[in-house]
Amino acid sequence: MQEDVRGLQIAMDDALRVREIERLRSLAKKLKLTVADLRARASLVEALVAAPRRDVVEALRLDELRDFSAAVGGARTGSKPTLVSRVLHA
């Protein structure tokens, strides 16, 4: 189980790192996260990966959810609720 959680964290980390830094800032602000350095991509990703997974996943746009679904081994197709469920249950 712990390996599954770690694998999902790595997938989230990878999927977040390719986002524009402004998008990462926007997500952190929307989720009211404390970020060590808003100028540093690594700090933003670290804060987002540490945040409650459901909150982060539900804040994502459809195109981002498709990327996350693929990152955890799921299909890229489906509605936003379907993709959210797929990512949360990966």
Side-chain angles (χ1 to χ4, degrees), residues 12 23 37 46 50 54 57 64 67-68 73 82-83 86:
M12 285 184 67
R23 179 60 180 146
D37 184 353
E46 182 179 323
R54 175 173 292 281
V57 170
E64 294 167 331
D67 292 344
F68 269 71
T82 299
L83 290 165
R86 189 177 298 143

Side-chain angles (χ1 to χ4, degrees), residues 42-85:
S43 292
L44 289 158
V45 170
E46 182 179 323
L48 287 162
V49 169
R53 184 173 18 152
R54 175 173 292 281
D55 293 348
V56 174
V57 170
E58 289 178 346
L60 297 173
R61 297 183 306 228
L62 187 57
D63 62 315
E64 294 167 331
L65 279 168
R66 288 182 177 137
D67 292 344
F68 269 71
S69 181
V72 296
R76 294 178 53 84
T77 58
S79 64
K80 184 169 181 173
T82 299
L83 290 165
V84 166
S85 178

